[in-house]
Amino acid sequence: MIEALKEVGVTEVVLAINYRPEVMLNFLKDFEDKLGITITCSQETEPLGTAGPLALARDKLVDGSGEPFFVLNSDVISEYPFAELIKFHKSHGGEATIMVTKVDEPSKYGVVVMEEVTGMVEKFVEKPKIFVGNKINAGIYLLNPSVLDRIELKPTSIEKEVFPRIASDAKLFALVLPGFWMDVGQPRDYITGLRLYLDSLRKRSTNRLATGAHIVGNVLVHESAKIGEGCLIGPDVAIGPGCVVEDGVRLSRCTVMRGVHIKKHACISNSIIGWHSTVGQWARIENMTILGEDVHVGDEVYTNGGVVLPHKEIKSSILKPEIVM
């Protein structure tokens, strides 16, 4: 997402965070240095909903140029067609543009009813019982600074309070998002989102994907990661910076985050391995197991799903999904 913003000329990213902003800022420091982009934080002392944080960050968002700014939900993944969004926003002359995505079962969502030719949003219908459309809010917006005048510094929903008022003034427009879209706020959806993202890379930037006799399908490996002999990796695997994968390891449909050490002949599938964790020799991790930061799984241990909170050591098998605190 940040890389895509940089490509269309964004020079500063403001994170709206309520809890421990220093953790996120430290994590993103590498992106600042690599991309030459400034990442700052606007911290809420109380939850302000999805619109209130914009009022809190007003001084960071308004620079006097009158140029629009992006507002993005950080838990969605797509191809981020920001250049097309900017072009459409400037063409319709409205006050705000939202991206929408088509879904198969609109009754589960809030539906955006829009004029097909112009993209003007007519209304929003929450979980409709009869069919009114199949387009939902994708969590990607481009807003004029004047939108901030509609938002008070208090808990406010941009989807349920601000956007309907803009739509009633005929100043809200929607652009259908091309390609894939996924809300990755839940672990299972995150793994699905990873697959969709890697499929997209295969079509757009094949050179970024790993290749070799030990690679099956789409795999993303950071250049600083070390992969041993006799491994079989893929499909749909992402391996982060500084990871060590020893000989004979099997990885599929999983994310391995920064600094993880996976020992010989371990097998990991459909799981997320948190930062600086260790997986022992011949260990088997599967069925949507989530390891927090600095978790150490012993040799020959089996985990059958569940969540392990940070800084834990797992010495015995987890036979059914549970939370390890």
Side-chain angles (χ1 to χ4, degrees):
M1 182 183 286
I2 295 175
E3 291 173 344
L5 288 169
K6 174 67 176 181
E7 288 179 3
V8 294
V10 171
T11 58
E12 182 175 2
V13 172
V14 181
L15 305 176
I17 298 179
N18 176 255
Y19 179 69
R20 296 186 67 189
E22 69 279 359
V23 174
M24 184 64 74
L25 291 175
N26 289 337
F27 177 76
L28 292 172
K29 187 69 172 68
D30 288 348
F31 283 93
E32 276 196 308
D33 298 337
K34 176 183 176 182
L35 299 176
I37 195 168
T38 301
I39 302 176
T40 59
C41 173
S42 175
Q43 184 178 9
E44 306 165 50
T45 56
E46 63 173 331
L48 293 172
T50 52
L54 299 180
L56 183 64
R58 183 184 181 104
D59 291 345
K60 297 177 181 290
L61 299 175
V62 177
D63 61 4
S65 68
E67 287 295 306
F69 57 88
F70 291 99
V71 176
L72 310 170
N73 290 355
S74 62
D75 59 357
V76 300
I77 188 169
S78 73
E79 293 180 358
Y80 306 120
F82 293 144
E84 294 90 332
L85 178 56
I86 293 171
K87 182 178 179 180
F88 177 70
H89 180 78
K90 292 186 174 181
S91 72
H92 62 60
E95 196 172 0
T97 303
I98 66 174
M99 298 211 80
V100 295
T101 186
K102 295 179 180 179
V103 294
D104 294 331
E105 297 185 44
S107 60
K108 294 181 178 180
Y109 305 91
V111 173
V112 180
V113 180
M114 55 185 282
E115 208 286 318
E116 292 296 329
V117 176
T118 65
M120 180 180 291
V121 175
E122 299 172 359
K123 60 181 177 179
F124 298 86
V125 181
E126 189 64 26
K127 296 181 180 178
K129 290 183 171 55
I130 61 172
F131 184 84
V132 294
N134 65 344
K135 301 177 187 71
I136 66 169
N137 185 341
I140 300 172
Y141 319 131
L142 190 58
L143 312 179
N144 288 351
S146 59
V147 171
L148 296 173
D149 297 332
R150 297 175 179 266
I151 305 172
E152 297 182 43
L153 185 53
K154 64 178 185 179
T156 310
S157 168
I158 197 168
E159 301 88 354
K160 295 181 179 180
E161 299 176 66
V162 179
F163 285 158
R165 290 199 296 266
I166 302 175
S168 67
D169 292 338
K171 293 184 177 180
L172 180 65
F173 290 77
L175 179 65
V176 178
L177 181 71
F180 77 97
W181 176 89
M182 191 74 196
D183 181 329
V184 293
Q186 297 297 322
R188 192 173 300 278
D189 295 332
Y190 179 91
I191 295 297
T192 301
L194 172 64
R195 175 180 60 78
L196 294 172
Y197 173 69
L198 294 177
D199 284 345
S200 176
L201 277 186
R202 172 68 66 186
K203 298 171 185 175
R204 298 183 295 115
S205 304
T206 303
N207 61 318
R208 294 181 60 184
L209 296 174
T211 57
H214 64 296
I215 299 296
V216 178
N218 297 330
V219 174
L220 192 62
V221 179
H222 192 272
E223 59 187 11
S224 64
K226 297 180 180 179
I227 310 296
E229 298 292 328
C231 295
L232 186 60
I233 300 175
D236 307 325
V237 172
I239 300 175
C243 291
V244 176
V245 179
E246 294 187 2
D247 297 348
V249 167
R250 176 71 174 108
L251 303 176
S252 65
R253 299 179 183 85
C254 63
T255 292
V256 180
M257 296 186 176
R258 177 190 296 269
V260 167
H261 187 168
I262 303 174
K263 297 184 179 180
K264 293 180 180 179
H265 306 295
C267 179
I268 301 172
S269 65
N270 290 295
S271 296
I272 300 172
I273 311 302
W275 307 272
H276 308 291
S277 292
T278 302
V279 177
Q281 297 184 50
W282 294 101
R284 186 178 185 91
I285 296 176
E286 61 185 20
N287 192 27
M288 206 52 61
T289 296
I290 314 300
L291 302 186
E293 182 178 10
D294 186 39
V295 169
H296 303 282
V297 177
D299 294 347
E300 302 179 24
V301 166
Y302 171 62
T303 65
N304 181 28
V307 177
V308 181
L309 299 190
H311 314 299
K312 300 296 177 184
E313 185 173 3
I314 306 300
K315 297 180 179 180
S316 58
S317 293
I318 301 172
L319 300 180
K320 60 182 181 179
E322 61 180 91
I323 298 175
V324 179
M325 302 179 68

